[in-house]
Amino acid sequence: MLRILAVIAVTSLAAPAFAAATDWQEIAPGVKARLISSDTLVDGVTLAGLELDMPAGTNTYWRTPGETGIPTEFDFSASSGVVDPMVHWPYPQIDRSRGYMDYAYYGPVVLPFEFGAEAGPAVLDVAVTLGICSDICVPATAKLTLPLDFAAPDAAQAIRLDQAMATTPILWDQPGKPFGSVEAGLDGSLHLLSPNAAIDPQSVIAALDDPAILFEAPQKSPDGALWTLRPLGGAAEKELEGSSVQLTFETPEGPYAVTYLIAPSQP
């Protein structure tokens, strides 16, 4: 059980700055957050992000937090001149260090988001709720505001954002399929058939629409042609057949994500 101590609310208003970033704000003990932007507009699209500076042993969570994590949520509704913001999620660490399975980010991390904008000024106004955990877990909230004019590109922030995007899963573009098919097991498990040899089985994260349904790491058949993901904590209550599952995983070429329709179990 998480020991919740407090909710920390932080408001940061970025004054006209010499760089495309807000001031650092402490959102939990020893943890700082700020907004950064490349301040570059390419074909009407730009990148910004939430940068977190966390001490060693402190973490926050992926879009699916895992067994005990607190989900990270963004609200862009107070922004102006910002169109269709989309958060990109770098591949997380599969963390079992506390006896549970969570999907976590440790240390300095940038969570990038992409959005459309006009050529004129825009204001990025972001409210974020996230979990911060070390020995204890704190749900923290922050509201950060960053004016953008796209007049002076910030190369340093652009590098940070590009590095974060490089670790974000993309759609599979390698030769062959990542899996031949995905089938429902009779015991609530998932069967991944004919996995591509480039995929690291221990990196596979299976996410359904219900974030409460989690799966253990794959168990490989003797010939390696079948990987079985059993539901964490026992049999799943949900009927898996016909549902969609997003599979996120790592390869030597980087992280990927694909979505499959779960087929019926085969005899």
Side-chain angles (χ1 to χ4, degrees):
M1 296 294 293
L2 296 175
R3 290 173 290 168
I4 304 302
L5 291 189
V7 174
I8 300 176
V10 176
T11 301
S12 171
L13 295 177
F18 296 105
T22 64
D23 292 335
W24 285 106
Q25 296 291 327
E26 186 173 60
I27 63 171
V31 178
K32 298 182 296 183
R34 67 175 180 173
L35 287 181
I36 63 173
S37 170
S38 64
D39 223 0
T40 302
L41 200 60
V42 179
D43 296 327
V45 176
T46 190
L47 279 177
L50 177 71
E51 184 175 14
L52 297 172
D53 186 8
M54 298 181 289
T58 299
N59 70 277
T60 190
Y61 295 97
W62 192 47
R63 58 179 178 81
T64 298
E67 284 190 274
T68 67
I70 299 170
T72 301
E73 299 177 350
F74 290 92
D75 180 359
F76 298 93
S77 61
S79 300
S80 61
V82 171
V83 180
D84 297 330
M86 175 185 296
V87 179
H88 294 278
W89 299 91
Y91 183 85
Q93 177 178 327
I94 301 177
D95 185 4
R96 299 181 177 87
S97 63
R98 299 185 179 100
Y100 299 94
M101 186 174 72
D102 290 322
Y103 305 124
Y105 299 117
Y106 279 85
V109 65
V110 172
L111 304 181
F113 25 89
E114 179 181 14
F115 54 91
E118 301 293 337
V123 177
L124 184 60
D125 193 314
V126 182
V128 59
T129 301
L130 70 167
I132 302 294
C133 284
S134 53
D135 295 331
I136 49 86
C137 291
V138 177
T141 64
K143 190 173 186 300
L144 302 110
T145 303
L146 181 62
L148 304 171
D149 59 17
F150 309 112
D154 191 314
Q157 309 304 355
I159 289 172
R160 291 184 177 90
L161 291 163
D162 287 344
Q163 289 173 334
M165 290 295 291
T167 62
T168 298
I170 62 173
L171 294 178
W172 180 260
D173 63 355
Q174 298 299 303
K177 294 182 178 180
F179 302 97
S181 63
V182 177
E183 296 178 358
L186 297 177
D187 58 354
S189 61
L190 286 176
H191 293 166
L192 311 184
L193 282 70
S194 304
N196 192 290
I199 297 172
D200 175 6
Q202 296 303 307
S203 73
V204 174
I205 302 172
L208 301 174
D209 291 337
D210 185 351
I213 300 178
L214 303 171
F215 295 89
E216 298 176 352
Q219 296 180 358
K220 299 168 65 174
S221 63
D223 62 2
L226 170 66
W227 295 355
T228 299
L229 284 71
R230 291 189 167 81
L232 196 64
E237 297 290 334
K238 181 179 175 64
E239 178 64 44
L240 299 181
E241 179 183 332
S243 299
S244 292
V245 60
Q246 186 181 68
L247 301 170
T248 305
F249 48 84
E250 288 193 300
T251 75
E253 301 300 321
Y256 289 90
V258 296
T259 299
Y260 278 81
L261 188 67
I262 302 174
S265 176
Q266 299 298 315

